[in-house]
Amino acid sequence: MNLNATLLAQLVVFFILAWFTMKYVWPPIMKALDERAAKIAEGLAAAERAKTDLQLAERRAADELRRAREAANEIRASAERQGAQILEEARMEAARIIAAARAAAEAEAQAAAQRAKEALREQVALLAVAGAERILRREIDAARHAELIEQLKAEL
Amino acid sequence: MASNAAPTASEYIIHHLTHLKNASQTALVDWSVFHLDTLFFSITLGLLAVFALARVARRATAGVPGRWQAAVEILVELVADQAKGIVHSPESRKFVAPLALTVFVWIFLMNAMDLLPLDLLPNLWAAIYGAAGGDAHHAYLRVVPTADLNATLGMSCGVLLLCLYYNVKIKGLSHWVHELFTAPFGAHPLLWPVNFAMQLIEFIAKTVSHGMRLFGNMYAGELIFMLIALMGAAWAGTVGSGLLWIGHVIAGAIWAIFHILIITLQAFIFMMLTLVYVGQAHESH
């Protein structure tokens, strides 16, 4: 339990070791600790940012969805409108065609009637001429009375 | 103890309490004597401590730490937190906090030498010393540096120097001298000698108690290990000595387990007091 130079040596060693620690041990470890703390803080901030981003994206997606639905509704409405219009047009066209067909048929019928009348008239005229010819066989010269027959035919 | 005749109990203890030194010491204070064993173990353990820490520090990453790094980080954060709470100057903490870490790890390792089997290193040393041609009876070796008053007072004197340094640095020389004579009782000229005496006593008491506390604890612990070892050494084949041997095992185990607490606690106390004293040097009265 005597005091001697060991004390001084220990004192010097004490400061050398402390200096070494200050120089080579403490700063790298503190740096690592601080860096990790910064990293964690950054991570937390990023998570927070991601959360708000997600909310924003969800809101935007909902907006898009709503807009798409509206557009679809509009398209459907216009398609219905267009369909109705086409139907209407087709109906009118059909009516027009029917009317035209009817008119054509009527005209055809009239023309047929006219032709039948003409033919009838011709035949009647021929019959009349044939009758008159038979009656007047001798007195009437077909060539001479052609003008008369023609006149008769026009009158019929 | 590579001896032919078994030593008596008191011879055994005296042998274990004798330092390996360069010269025998007769006076109470002799500045020509070195305790070689204390120096060897304290420097070896000190280097082991700082290089182990430096190795971790060099590979320290801010990413996921390994177990070693995590353990060192816990230690560093513990010391850093304590330093931050006690020493309020960030500039001083740059040196004081690493110093406190060194002190804690170093003293812990030196104290932990107590947990090695008591005769392991001394016997090894005696064998080497004997093989080298020396007298194995005089192969002294004490393996616990902190059970040497020189080591503990050396460190507490280091803390004292630090306190004086920071007193001057923080307060300025004139302000500090003024404080030495006017605190704690007052600025009246009649009180100057009293104040100064009080301040001197305070510094001496701090330093001596700081070193003595650690020394006393470790010295006593070492002595108890020796007494326990004597129980086992009484083994002679009889029933009574057999019981003593069992007593050695039980008492040795209990004391060693308890000592784990003591060595850690004493290292922590020494570190905390270092911080406290340095912190006080920063505060004006």
Side-chain angles (χ1 to χ4, degrees):
Chain A
M1 221 172 310
N2 305 311
L3 290 179
N4 55 39
T6 313
L7 191 152
L8 299 178
Q10 186 79 6
L11 198 160
V12 174
V13 172
F14 175 75
F15 280 113
I16 292 174
L17 291 181
W19 169 82
F20 184 91
T21 306
M22 175 188 74
K23 192 102 179 139
Y24 298 107
V25 175
W26 195 265
I29 291 179
M30 278 323 233
K31 192 168 144 260
L33 287 174
D34 290 348
E35 270 174 18
R36 189 174 314 133
K39 255 189 195 173
I40 290 170
E42 211 172 277
L44 289 177
E48 198 61 36
R49 253 198 325 274
K51 219 157 85 185
T52 53
D53 280 359
L54 180 66
Q55 274 174 347
L56 226 75
E58 270 171 358
R59 204 171 311 144
R60 215 165 29 226
D63 273 3
E64 286 295 328
L65 208 62
R66 193 172 45 71
R67 219 170 303 150
R69 214 171 271 142
E70 279 172 10
N73 279 344
E74 203 172 302
I75 288 169
R76 198 169 56 207
S78 87
E80 271 168 6
R81 231 177 12 252
Q82 217 166 353
Q85 195 181 345
I86 288 169
L87 199 63
E88 189 57 33
E89 273 170 12
R91 208 171 270 146
M92 275 158 62
E93 176 77 10
R96 198 165 48 75
I97 288 170
I98 288 168
R102 186 179 291 147
E106 271 171 7
E108 181 77 12
Q110 256 176 356
Q114 190 65 34
R115 268 199 308 281
K117 248 188 226 164
E118 292 283 337
L120 225 56
R121 202 180 281 148
E122 185 116 356
Q123 277 180 345
V124 168
L126 283 178
L127 279 177
V129 171
E133 201 179 44
R134 243 180 245 165
I135 299 169
L136 303 172
R137 184 151 313 250
R138 299 280 157 55
E139 297 134 63
I140 293 174
D141 179 2
R144 268 174 58 196
H145 300 289
E147 195 187 338
L148 189 69
I149 290 167
E150 218 36 62
Q151 213 176 343
L152 200 65
K153 228 176 1 182
E155 276 171 18
L156 273 169
Chain B
M1 294 296 295
S3 64
N4 303 325
T8 66
S10 69
E11 275 171 3
Y12 177 78
I13 286 186
I14 287 171
H15 188 272
H16 270 284
L17 288 181
T18 307
H19 278 287
L20 174 68
K21 52 198 166 207
N22 59 341
S24 67
Q25 185 165 357
T26 48
L28 183 65
V29 180
D30 184 345
W31 296 114
S32 67
V33 178
F34 284 99
H35 287 166
L36 300 176
D37 45 4
T38 299
L39 287 177
F40 173 76
F41 285 113
S42 76
I43 291 173
T44 306
L45 291 172
L47 292 180
L48 190 75
V50 293
F51 280 115
L53 289 175
R55 192 162 159 270
V56 174
R58 206 176 47 244
R59 298 178 181 182
T61 85
V64 180
R67 288 180 179 178
W68 243 115
Q69 192 189 333
V72 172
E73 279 174 5
I74 289 170
L75 203 60
V76 168
E77 287 222 279
L78 170 92
V79 176
D81 284 349
Q82 298 290 357
K84 207 173 274 180
I86 296 171
V87 180
H88 299 301
S89 153
E91 185 58 33
S92 301
R93 273 209 302 274
K94 274 186 194 163
F95 179 63
V96 175
L99 175 105
L101 175 70
T102 317
V103 161
F104 182 57
V105 177
W106 190 26
I107 292 181
F108 175 79
L109 287 178
M110 291 196 286
N111 290 352
M113 293 300 283
D114 232 356
L115 297 174
L116 288 178
L118 187 67
D119 278 314
L120 179 67
L121 293 176
N123 277 4
L124 215 67
W125 171 238
I128 294 169
Y129 194 70
D135 179 3
H137 283 285
H138 294 105
Y140 301 110
L141 189 72
R142 290 186 64 183
V143 298
V144 188
T146 42
D148 179 354
L149 188 57
N150 289 294
T152 59
L153 274 185
M155 290 187 288
S156 65
C157 286
V159 175
L160 173 68
L161 290 184
L162 264 186
C163 289
L164 299 181
Y165 169 73
Y166 280 117
N167 264 314
V168 174
K169 186 187 171 195
I170 301 293
K171 299 168 186 169
L173 187 61
S174 61
H175 184 252
W176 182 51
V177 171
H178 178 258
E179 190 183 289
L180 279 180
F181 285 96
T182 57
F185 296 122
H188 193 279
L190 275 180
L191 291 173
W192 286 359
V194 185
N195 285 330
F196 188 62
M198 281 301 287
Q199 293 272 2
L200 274 187
I201 291 170
E202 193 184 329
F203 275 118
I204 293 169
K206 272 184 196 169
T207 303
V208 171
S209 69
H210 197 193
M212 277 290 207
R213 178 181 299 105
L214 178 59
F215 162 73
N217 273 283
M218 299 322 296
Y219 189 81
E222 198 186 20
L223 211 56
I224 290 178
F225 272 120
M226 287 174 199
L227 295 175
I228 290 170
L230 277 176
M231 287 206 296
W235 168 258
T238 63
V239 175
S241 65
L243 284 178
L244 275 176
W245 186 84
I246 292 171
H248 177 185
V249 172
I250 294 171
I254 290 173
W255 183 242
I257 290 167
F258 183 55
H259 218 57
I260 293 173
L261 175 68
I262 292 180
I263 62 175
T264 316
L265 194 64
Q266 287 303 322
F268 186 71
I269 288 173
F270 199 97
M271 178 197 89
M272 288 303 286
L273 284 177
T274 302
L275 289 173
V276 167
Y277 292 159
V278 171
Q280 282 177 351
H282 286 67
E283 286 157 14
S284 296
H285 284 279

